[in-house]
Amino acid sequence: MSRRRRGDSPFSLFAFQDIITAVTGILILITLLLALSIVDAPMNEAEQEIADLQALKARLVSLRSEVADLEDQLTTDNEIVRLVSKSGAANLVQLKSQLEQSLKIAQELLSNTNKQTHSNADSLKRRQDQVNAKTTGLQQTLANIEQLKRKLEEIRQSNRAVYQVKTTSQEKPWLLDLSSQRWLLAAANEQSTPVRIDQSTLAARVGALESWQQSNPGDRRYLVLLVRSDGVDSYKKIRESVTLANAIDFGVDLIADDITVIDPKTGAVID
């Protein structure tokens, strides 16, 4: 077996270094392009964000696979370092250090990508919560509108009339429904059980109305007389009362016999 002459070239690893350097450059280029694509990706629409998140997850899987391959290759390189001569070991150690640095940079980029992915997911969740809140509010508004429509329809079918009487600090308004059968007395603009005045004679009814007024002598009341077709005599009898004339201000309105103004349960308002 011939000996190697002193003039022969020593064992060289330049070709292997070129391969590792090229792989490292490609990895850095890919990670930089990934970072740029993440930063510049539009986040205007929720559907686009979901698509971007899915693409990022796929790219993360690919990068993890590449990192795993490089780690396996690094393990193989360590075996090569132990087998080569001392003259080539220093170059391989330096190359290993560069590769480890590149892997560290790649891991940092992966970590930043994960943070960006979580941030995008949180932003999407907040937008979804806002959409859900607006949807719930809209549904509630629609439900209120439907309820109001039903109530208005009930009022229309029941032929109900509602009086909104202006209230002052000096006078409290009341409504008095006059018919020949009975009188109904209810506070305007308030939900309350009405007072029923159904004595057999007009004089007794006027007396009951005077007693009602005298039960609260400090109040100055405004009484709206709602006169039906058979309540004209009742109206005249009330206006003849000197006691009521001195204590109450009067208003008057004529109403049809088929219209309901004072409900036996809720009074002069609609529940």
Side-chain angles (χ1 to χ4, degrees):
M1 176 180 271
S2 63
R3 295 178 174 272
R4 187 179 64 183
R5 293 193 299 270
R6 294 182 179 272
D8 293 341
S9 298
F11 178 78
S12 175
L13 295 176
F14 286 149
F16 180 77
Q17 293 177 0
D18 291 341
I19 294 173
I20 296 300
T21 302
V23 172
T24 303
I26 292 172
L27 177 61
I28 294 174
L29 180 60
I30 291 174
T31 52
L32 288 177
L33 291 176
L34 175 62
L36 288 175
S37 64
I38 293 173
V39 171
D40 295 335
M43 301 297 294
N44 294 328
E45 299 294 336
E47 292 81 2
Q48 184 62 35
E49 289 179 353
I50 294 174
D52 291 341
L53 288 175
Q54 293 176 347
L56 286 174
K57 290 179 180 179
R59 187 62 62 87
L60 282 175
V61 173
S62 177
L63 285 175
R64 289 194 180 99
S65 177
E66 293 181 9
V67 170
D69 293 339
L70 289 173
E71 288 176 349
D72 294 340
Q73 186 175 354
L74 180 60
T75 302
T76 304
D77 292 342
N78 290 334
E79 295 295 330
I80 295 174
V81 170
R82 287 193 291 270
L83 295 175
V84 297
S85 62
K86 292 182 179 181
S87 60
N91 292 332
L92 285 177
V93 170
Q94 182 179 4
L95 183 60
K96 175 185 175 183
S97 176
Q98 294 175 353
L99 185 57
E100 289 176 345
Q101 185 67 23
S102 298
L103 288 173
K104 183 179 179 181
I105 294 174
Q107 290 173 351
E108 290 177 355
L109 288 174
L110 286 174
S111 177
N112 293 334
T113 301
N114 283 328
K115 292 179 180 179
Q116 183 67 29
T117 301
H118 291 308
S119 176
N120 293 340
D122 293 339
S123 176
L124 181 60
K125 185 177 183 301
R126 287 194 297 270
R127 293 187 181 184
Q128 186 64 39
D129 292 341
Q130 293 174 355
V131 171
N132 291 338
K134 291 181 179 179
T135 302
T136 302
L138 181 59
Q139 291 175 347
Q140 184 62 40
T141 301
L142 293 175
N144 293 338
I145 292 174
E146 290 298 325
Q147 183 178 2
L148 181 59
K149 287 181 178 179
R150 289 194 297 269
K151 184 173 293 187
L152 291 175
E153 182 63 22
E154 291 174 0
I155 295 173
R156 187 187 65 81
Q157 293 179 357
S158 63
N159 204 17
R160 178 75 182 273
V162 179
Y163 282 76
Q164 292 292 330
V165 184
K166 184 177 180 181
T167 303
T168 65
S169 58
Q170 291 79 20
E171 295 179 329
K172 181 176 181 181
W174 289 77
L175 301 180
L176 180 59
D177 188 342
L178 300 176
S179 67
S180 61
Q181 301 298 323
R182 53 98 182 97
W183 298 352
L184 285 179
L185 179 65
N189 310 331
E190 295 181 8
Q191 180 173 334
S192 61
T193 302
V195 178
R196 186 181 181 91
I197 302 175
D198 54 1
Q199 284 78 359
S200 58
T201 64
L202 288 179
R205 293 182 189 178
V206 173
L209 188 60
E210 292 174 346
S211 299
W212 167 78
Q213 168 57 30
Q214 293 171 358
S215 64
N216 294 279
D219 292 345
R220 181 70 181 180
R221 293 169 172 169
Y222 175 72
L223 195 61
V224 179
L225 303 178
L226 306 176
V227 184
R228 299 182 183 273
S229 60
D230 59 350
V232 176
D233 292 339
S234 298
Y235 167 73
K236 292 179 179 179
K237 203 70 175 178
I238 292 173
R239 296 308 305 267
E240 292 172 357
S241 172
V242 177
T243 302
L244 294 175
N246 293 331
I248 298 178
D249 292 329
F250 288 98
V252 63
D253 192 12
L254 301 177
I255 59 174
D257 294 337
D258 59 344
I259 293 178
T260 300
V261 178
I262 298 177
D263 186 83
K265 295 181 178 180
T266 62
V269 297
I270 298 174
D271 56 354

